[in-house]
Amino acid sequence: MSIDIETARRVAKLARIKVEEDDLPALAGEFNDILIFIEQLNEVDIEGVEPMTSVTPQRLKRREDVVTSGNMPDKILSNAPDAREGFFAVPKVVE
């Protein structure tokens, strides 16, 4: 697959990125380089390779899953930037 200048222009518009007309050929070239790299990755044999979350083997910390009543509004609201009358206060965004 090859990205032409028109496709690069369309991708920039969809991403809402302003790209000057003179820079479109370079952008198309960069897109093509990315696609070539992805094709190279698709050729790698990953049979038998387990997915990992880190390059070093480690186990993620776990906590016991305990059901509580949740009756602690003061503790929950203690980190809120603005809390009023037991609720999170947020700025008005729609008039």
Side-chain angles (χ1 to χ4, degrees):
M1 180 178 192
S2 180
I3 302 292
D4 59 358
I5 293 175
E6 282 302 314
T7 306
R9 180 181 291 118
R10 184 165 184 261
V11 169
K13 181 180 178 186
L14 290 173
R16 299 196 186 324
I17 298 171
K18 182 179 180 183
V19 178
E20 299 297 330
E21 195 68 30
D22 297 343
D23 296 331
L24 283 174
L27 181 63
E30 289 179 26
F31 285 153
N32 284 318
D33 291 343
I34 292 169
L35 290 176
I36 290 169
F37 182 68
I38 291 171
E39 287 297 321
Q40 289 175 349
L41 288 177
N42 285 333
E43 295 173 6
V44 175
D45 180 23
I46 56 169
E47 188 67 34
V49 177
E50 292 190 29
M52 57 186 186
T53 58
S54 174
V55 294
T56 58
Q58 60 181 334
R59 187 160 169 81
L60 298 177
K61 294 180 182 177
R62 299 182 187 260
R63 63 175 170 79
E64 188 176 335
D65 190 14
V66 179
V67 177
T68 63
S69 66
N71 192 14
M72 54 181 118
D74 295 334
K75 188 174 181 182
I76 293 171
L77 293 173
S78 66
N79 288 327
D82 189 8
R84 298 179 199 158
E85 300 174 18
F87 297 97
F88 291 100
V90 295
K92 185 176 180 180
V93 293
V94 179
E95 295 194 29

